[in-house]
Amino acid sequence: MAPALLDLAHWSTWAVCAVMKLPQLAAVRAARSARGVSVGSLLLELAGFLVFLRYQIYYGYPLPTYLEYPIIIAQDVILLLFILRFNGHMKRALFYAVTFGGGWYMLTLRKWIIDLAMNFCTLISAASKLAQLRCLWQTKDSGQVSALTWSMSAYTCATRIFTTVMTTNDLAVLIRFITMLILNIWVTATVLHYRKSKKTD
């Protein structure tokens, strides 16, 4: 029974992650605006995903436990390019590419670097969610922020809590997923709150 549940959790996570950022990408592209979407949040999220992926690869964890991360990273990069384009800041794309590429390389120069980075990864990822919440609170408008994308993120965190317990039982990874689950639910609720408030006005 447990192997079947584990396979179901992996497959459903991959399926959700394959389309997770598409509602956000579609909203930004259709509006030709990134209003309400925090660039800082996206950059922090991307940094957190890259550190987490590098950590998983470095320690040789089973591929099914992190296969969705290259997919999510690719979607985040496309979203970042859309945001930079619609905000008129495309020249920053090269700077971000060099920064993230250099960081990817430096993470595994020493074991202590990747371990320290993983410990900070939860803080970085939490900061990305808090940056999005701050943006929502300041504007009191969900703008182009997709509640569906954030709720799918919450679902994948929940499934990854289960898969981590069943496979690696890595405490740092568990703490990260539990924290992200709580914050993803909070962002989703905030987006829905401001969307409802806007409809009643």
Side-chain angles (χ1 to χ4, degrees):
M1 180 75 168
L5 283 175
L6 188 60
D7 286 343
L8 177 64
H10 285 313
W11 281 101
S12 68
T13 299
W14 300 331
V16 168
C17 287
V19 298
M20 184 163 55
K21 298 289 181 168
L22 295 183
Q24 185 67 71
L25 285 164
V28 169
R29 187 167 182 260
R32 300 187 65 75
S33 165
R35 185 176 52 87
V37 180
S38 168
V39 176
S41 171
L42 185 60
L43 291 170
L44 288 168
E45 179 179 73
L46 195 52
F49 286 162
L50 288 168
V51 168
F52 187 75
L53 177 62
R54 193 67 161 159
Y55 177 86
Q56 298 278 330
I57 293 168
Y58 182 83
Y59 281 105
Y61 284 158
L63 183 62
T65 63
Y66 63 89
L67 185 60
E68 69 273 14
Y69 279 86
I71 299 166
I72 299 170
I73 290 168
Q75 292 176 53
D76 265 357
V77 168
I78 294 167
L79 180 58
L80 179 61
L81 291 173
F82 277 4
I83 292 170
L84 292 175
R85 180 170 180 236
F86 295 136
N87 288 347
H89 300 297
M90 274 304 286
K91 292 180 182 178
R92 295 181 185 174
L94 179 61
F95 170 75
Y96 293 141
V98 170
T99 302
F100 285 124
W104 176 265
Y105 170 74
M106 290 177 57
L107 282 170
T108 55
L109 289 176
R110 299 271 187 268
K111 181 184 178 301
W112 67 267
I113 295 173
I114 191 70
D115 290 340
L116 183 64
M118 183 56 194
N119 289 326
F120 282 117
C121 179
T122 300
L123 295 175
I124 292 167
S125 295
S128 79
K129 313 305 182 206
L130 293 172
Q132 183 60 60
L133 282 166
R134 181 174 174 258
C135 184
L136 290 166
W137 294 332
Q138 285 178 335
T139 62
K140 297 190 182 335
D141 181 8
S142 59
Q144 308 314 316
V145 182
S146 170
L148 181 58
T149 293
W150 286 96
S151 62
M152 286 192 281
S153 292
Y155 171 79
T156 61
C157 287
T159 60
R160 281 305 177 211
I161 291 167
F162 172 73
T163 61
T164 301
V165 168
M166 297 297 291
T167 56
T168 64
N169 213 18
D170 185 317
L171 184 60
V173 173
L174 279 172
I175 290 170
R176 179 184 188 280
F177 283 129
I178 291 167
T179 305
M180 294 309 97
L181 174 62
I182 293 165
L183 291 172
N184 282 327
I185 291 170
W186 193 0
V187 172
T188 303
T190 305
V191 169
L192 293 173
H193 169 74
Y194 286 127
R195 191 151 296 145
K196 182 181 175 188
S197 297
K198 192 171 182 181
K199 285 182 182 177
T200 57
D201 288 345

